[in-house]
Amino acid sequence: MYLINSMKSHSIVTIRMQDILLISICILLFLNRAVPIDYSSIWRVTVLCLIYTCIRIISKQYRNCLLHMVYIWGITEVIISILQKANYLESNHHDFGITGTFGNPGPLGGLLAVCWIVSIFFIYENIQNKHRILTLSFCMIACFILYGLLLSGSRAGWTAALVGSMIFLWQWLKRKHTIKVKPTLLKSSFLLIITVFIISIYFIRRDSADGRLLIWHNTITMIKDYPLFGIGAGGWQANYMLYQAEYFLQNPNSPYILLADNIFYAYNEFLHITAEQGIVGLVVVTWLLYALFSYKEKNNTDHCLKSALITFLVFSFFSYPGEVFPLEILFISIIGMMKSKTIKTFTISNSTKYIIRSIAFIFIVCISIGSYHIYHKTFTTIIRIVDKNKISKDTYSQLSQLYPLFRYNSQLMYIYSKSSLEDYPLNTKLQILQTAVRIAPNSELYIKLGDFWKQKKDFPQAEAYYQTAAAMIPHHITPSYKLFQLYIEEGNINAATNMGNYLLKQPIKKKGTKALRMEAEVLEFLHKEKNIKRTQ
């Protein structure tokens, strides 16, 4: 009796390989940085840590409940998508009619691909348990989720769902020992189907696919420059557009010219990780995945989780789930539910366990609330400025106090730099633009900096920024027009004439009213200069 009571007063704590490797990844991200830590984003990391810890310590029997929660999440997103298609709800993107609760249809497709695998798992379980009504119900829901996946238009989601389904089917056939054909032949058939599918969807939106090839090419160039430890966390976004500009300067006749744009995502998480953390970071991530996949599954839930993780990883090859917080939650939840090799097991008293958990919980929650308060207050204040297109003294004072806490947040700084800065002191305006350019450069920001130096009559600085902006996106006419105006103001008529002739021949993706007005002004200038030369 004493032994039983003694065991009840103590708990067994297990440390698994995935715990150690996740801590290693966090240390890498903390120490190896190109951009300093952003205090307004700490809440995202702490929330993920809290979710992972909670999932790791809950009883195994609740894992199916978590899968049901993911399932319900997917169903909810499909309902919202259908309402958006029927125009009862607005989407969150002006170019796409269906986004679910996400800002883009891509992440919606990634979530629904994972939910599709979970739905197959529930069908499989009910077939095994001979629950015909439940099996039929889950089949109908699976078709519903598949319809939502098709509505999303996400080619990455479709590919992930196909590969995940193939893996699930393969594992099921292996476990049931029902494979009557040679495994090599079956694997080759699966590979052929996936290859044909990927090639087919490539031609659905070929320009978009080619645009990603351009991004991958420049990201690989970045990896070559910083192979071992990478450029550092935040370094990809802080440097990518400069690499794109350099690419077009070296390849002025590139077929990718009309596909270039301001880029914020690598569209491949593995390339992104390697670019920022180098081979070292990639090895740690690969080790984590190996630890999870090499652990022999003991039940259907383990099998489902492995298939779901593979689905998520395939999606990660073509998209940016690491930049979408709900998908980060989905990923860390799958990792938390999976198992890997046990590293250490020890026993502690229940009182000690509860004290440690309580202190850790309070600490993490306090940090999360404080960080989120900074983020939310800054975001709402900046949006208010953008809506009113004006800043009051009180608002300026608030943002000045918050600025040191959010200046390394690329999202907030991008919105902040796009707001009306005319009411700011010149030094503050320059500080905002330079900080934004440091963490997330793009053509628009370089044009604004060019305008700033032009206003200050520093023509060489202005020219340098306009030229970089033009190289980043060669089909954008605005930087060329800015250079044309700069040369006129500078009195450099020859340079203005050359730039005007270049502008008229410049390839333009979409020629709108603004571009036509610019061309008309250039033509008028060239015509006047031509007449002047004739009269001389």
Side-chain angles (χ1 to χ4, degrees), residues 399-413:
L399 286 175
S400 296
Q401 292 175 358
L402 291 168
Y403 182 76
L405 303 175
F406 76 83
R407 61 180 171 171
Y408 298 121
N409 186 308
S410 58
Q411 177 203 17
L412 294 177
M413 284 304 300

Side-chain angles (χ1 to χ4, degrees), residues 282-294:
L282 183 63
V283 166
V284 176
V285 171
T286 305
W287 192 357
L288 170 64
L289 298 176
Y290 174 77
L292 294 169
F293 286 122
S294 61

Side-chain angles (χ1 to χ4, degrees), residues 44 237 264-266 269 272 276 320-325 328 410:
R44 293 177 61 147
Q237 193 170 20
F264 301 99
Y265 310 114
E269 290 298 339
H272 190 182
E276 293 197 339
Y320 49 91
E323 304 295 330
V324 182
F325 189 55
E328 289 178 330
S410 58

Side-chain angles (χ1 to χ4, degrees), residues 351-387:
S351 58
T352 304
K353 178 184 74 173
Y354 292 132
I355 289 171
I356 293 172
R357 285 183 182 177
S358 299
I359 293 172
F361 179 80
I362 293 169
F363 178 72
I364 291 174
V365 168
C366 288
I367 292 176
S368 299
I369 292 173
S371 175
Y372 184 75
H373 174 71
I374 295 168
Y375 173 81
H376 184 262
K377 188 175 181 180
T378 304
F379 182 78
T380 52
T381 305
I382 293 173
I383 291 299
R384 193 161 58 245
I385 295 171
V386 173
D387 291 341

Side-chain angles (χ1 to χ4, degrees), residues 32-195:
N32 185 24
R33 302 195 63 83
V35 176
I37 291 172
D38 166 42
Y39 297 106
S40 65
S41 294
I42 290 176
W43 64 273
R44 293 177 61 147
V45 179
T46 52
V47 167
L48 292 174
C49 290
L50 194 60
I51 290 171
Y52 177 78
T53 305
C54 290
I55 291 173
R56 282 283 286 112
I57 64 179
I58 63 172
S59 177
K60 298 175 185 177
Q61 63 190 14
Y62 294 113
R63 285 192 300 168
N64 266 21
C65 294
L66 292 172
L67 287 175
H68 276 93
M69 289 173 65
V70 172
Y71 198 52
I72 293 168
W73 181 12
I75 293 169
T76 305
E77 291 290 348
V78 176
I79 292 171
I80 293 170
S81 299
I82 291 172
L83 291 174
Q84 288 173 340
K85 182 175 176 58
N87 295 320
Y88 288 110
L89 289 176
E90 287 187 8
S91 75
N92 297 320
H93 198 289
H94 57 84
D95 289 334
F96 301 100
I98 297 170
T99 60
T101 58
F102 298 93
N104 192 288
L108 172 65
L111 170 66
L112 294 181
V114 174
C115 291
W116 163 252
I117 300 302
V118 175
S119 68
I120 295 175
F121 161 68
F122 285 138
I123 292 170
Y124 171 67
E125 272 213 324
N126 282 285
I127 289 174
Q128 277 195 324
N129 297 328
K130 298 181 180 179
H131 294 154
R132 293 182 180 179
I133 296 176
L134 284 175
T135 301
L136 181 61
S137 301
F138 279 113
C139 283
M140 293 174 65
I141 296 173
C143 291
F144 185 66
I145 290 174
L146 186 60
Y147 175 66
L149 181 58
L150 293 172
L151 280 180
S152 73
S154 170
R155 292 160 300 160
W158 299 344
T159 306
L162 176 65
V163 175
S165 301
M166 295 289 188
I167 296 296
F168 191 95
L169 177 61
W170 169 257
Q171 294 295 330
W172 177 71
L173 291 172
K174 261 180 48 175
R175 292 183 61 186
K176 286 296 179 182
H177 305 290
T178 55
I179 302 178
K180 295 181 179 179
V181 295
K182 292 182 179 180
T184 304
L185 181 60
L186 192 60
K187 287 179 181 179
S188 300
S189 301
F190 283 174
L191 184 61
L192 179 62
I193 292 170
I194 293 167
T195 303

Side-chain angles (χ1 to χ4, degrees), residues 517-533:
R517 281 202 301 265
M518 291 176 183
E519 288 183 348
E521 184 179 331
V522 170
L523 281 169
E524 184 180 354
F525 169 82
L526 293 175
H527 182 69
K528 284 182 180 178
E529 287 302 311
K530 191 174 182 181
N531 288 336
I532 290 171
K533 286 181 179 180

